Amino acid sequence: MSSKATAKRAAIGAAAVSSSAAAGAAGAALGAAAYFARRVLTPDRRKPDDCEVLSTATDSVVLAANAETVVPGRYGLWLDGSRGHIRIGEILDRDEATVRRRIEAQDFGIMRPGPARWNGYYYCSPPEISLGLATRHVEIVTDLGPMPAWLIPGMGDGSRWAILVHGRGARREETIRAIPPVLAARHTVLVPSYRNDEGAPPGPDGRYNLGLSEWRDIESAIAYAVAEGARDVTLVGWSMGGAIVLQVLAQSALASAVTRVVLDGPVVDWTDVLAHHARAHGVPSPVGDLSRTIMGKKWSRRLVGVHDTVDVAQTNWVARAAELHHPILLIHSIDDEFVPAGPSLALAEARPDLVTVVHWELARHCKEWNTDPARWEYAVSDFLKA
């Protein structure tokens, strides 16, 4: 064989190897992107312990210091594998390794040292237990089946309702903190569940759709309220609940029944949130970008595990700001570690005619109430009374 033929064969072989390597790299990137997308969209039922009780006394508890336990405010603490729960308040003293906090209430169970789980909701039980309020446990008819909900009658004539929408992976208990100021504004309160919640029917694929399908369940909640006499509906959403509320405003035929909106730590742009989490978990930017792309493509639905495409671009409310028409009270801490406040502030800048921002510092994700309950409750009740 001539040297020229040998060189040609070597070049072809090298090209084949290079092509195979490139294909392998592309396949690996696609697999990693699909894994990240599934993690984002899959409900996580497991709630692991995330802090440690070092010692207890009658009126205080000593915790290992971490990013959550050292923030001032009022919080809950699940103990003993969720068999116990206490509510804790002010920091009494701390050093680099520990923090001692006042115990405000012991709801149930036994206090003892050991692993525990932080509860940003503060409350741990339905409203009739947490707040002593008369509460009806009702079901809301949706296209997926009945969804459980709490109904707390208001003191008004029954025409003003507030529907409270919890966030991704959260429980309805997340919303209990808001019930007193909403009742004070003479609203009836409805706290619905939505698809993929525990105790509620799953979606067609058992995945979160980042608000792009969940809004239908909140539309059903509005229909329930209207059938019960509501003529003035306020929507209140936390985190992904905020994203759901924004989709209701844009897509629901019942959006005209909504008069105002309260958003706490809302997802205003999922692209920004997912990019933030990709960085936090060391996911390379190209893989993170690809994960968001394949969520929205029909050809990759099976790869991602979704029934319908999840077009993340449709969740960018800074870009879609002109489509909004409802007055919005927006509460978002600049210290939010889970949903960065940047898009919320950008939305407020884009629509100063509609969006009123209550600036917060210090609080972590959806814990503005925890750090200053009086301020949070005044802002909400004042907005609702307007």
Side-chain angles (χ1 to χ4, degrees), residues 10-235:
I12 293 172
V17 170
S18 177
S19 178
S20 297
L30 183 60
Y35 174 79
F36 184 64
R38 283 175 175 263
R39 286 291 302 272
V40 169
L41 301 177
T42 301
D44 187 358
R45 306 297 185 201
R46 182 173 172 268
K47 305 293 184 183
D49 291 328
D50 54 10
C51 56
E52 184 178 3
V53 174
L54 300 178
S55 65
T56 64
T58 303
D59 60 353
S60 65
V61 59
V62 177
L63 304 165
N66 67 26
E68 294 282 8
T69 63
V70 301
V71 180
R74 308 170 72 190
Y75 305 92
L77 198 64
W78 288 102
L79 308 168
D80 194 21
S82 297
R83 288 182 286 271
H85 190 273
I86 60 175
R87 282 172 278 156
I88 58 178
E90 67 176 303
I91 295 173
L92 300 173
D93 55 65
R94 61 163 296 192
D95 55 33
E96 289 187 2
T98 67
V99 56
R100 185 166 69 95
R101 307 190 71 128
R102 186 180 305 282
I103 295 175
E104 297 191 345
Q106 182 175 355
D107 295 305
F108 55 85
I110 300 172
M111 290 191 297
R112 69 184 89 190
R117 178 161 52 88
W118 200 246
N119 176 16
Y121 312 158
Y122 185 65
Y123 298 106
C124 66
S125 302
E128 68 269 23
I129 298 173
S130 293
L131 300 176
L133 294 171
T135 304
R136 290 170 52 196
H137 290 245
V138 301
E139 290 186 336
I140 293 172
V141 177
T142 75
D143 59 344
L144 296 177
M147 304 274 184
W150 298 325
L151 175 60
I152 303 96
M155 296 179 291
D157 61 6
S159 66
R160 305 187 78 188
W161 284 53
I163 298 174
L164 315 185
V165 187
H166 66 77
R168 177 191 181 280
R171 294 163 34 170
R172 281 179 285 161
E173 284 81 359
E174 180 177 39
T175 71
I176 291 175
R177 297 165 291 176
I179 293 176
V182 172
L183 288 177
R186 305 180 70 82
H187 286 59
T188 292
V189 177
L190 183 64
V191 185
S193 50
Y194 53 80
R195 61 193 64 194
N196 299 312
D197 279 355
E198 291 187 47
D205 49 25
R207 312 273 184 187
Y208 291 124
N209 282 188
L210 308 184
L212 294 170
S213 67
E214 292 87 353
W215 70 268
R216 297 184 180 93
D217 304 326
I218 305 308
E219 179 183 59
S220 297
I222 297 173
Y224 178 97
V226 169
E228 291 289 318
R231 297 295 176 266
D232 177 334
V233 176
T234 293
L235 298 181

Side-chain angles (χ1 to χ4, degrees), residues 294-346:
I294 63 176
M295 286 182 194
K297 300 298 183 182
K298 290 184 177 180
W299 63 263
S300 54
R301 284 181 299 176
R302 181 172 296 181
L303 189 65
V304 177
V306 293
H307 180 268
D308 297 311
T309 58
V310 180
D311 184 358
V312 178
Q314 293 302 309
T315 71
N316 183 347
W317 290 98
V318 178
R320 299 181 65 183
E323 300 177 40
L324 297 174
H325 305 288
H326 295 77
I328 297 172
L329 175 67
L330 203 159
I331 301 170
H332 206 148
S333 173
I334 62 170
D335 276 359
D336 192 322
E337 84 292 354
F338 200 81
V339 175
S344 289
L345 300 179

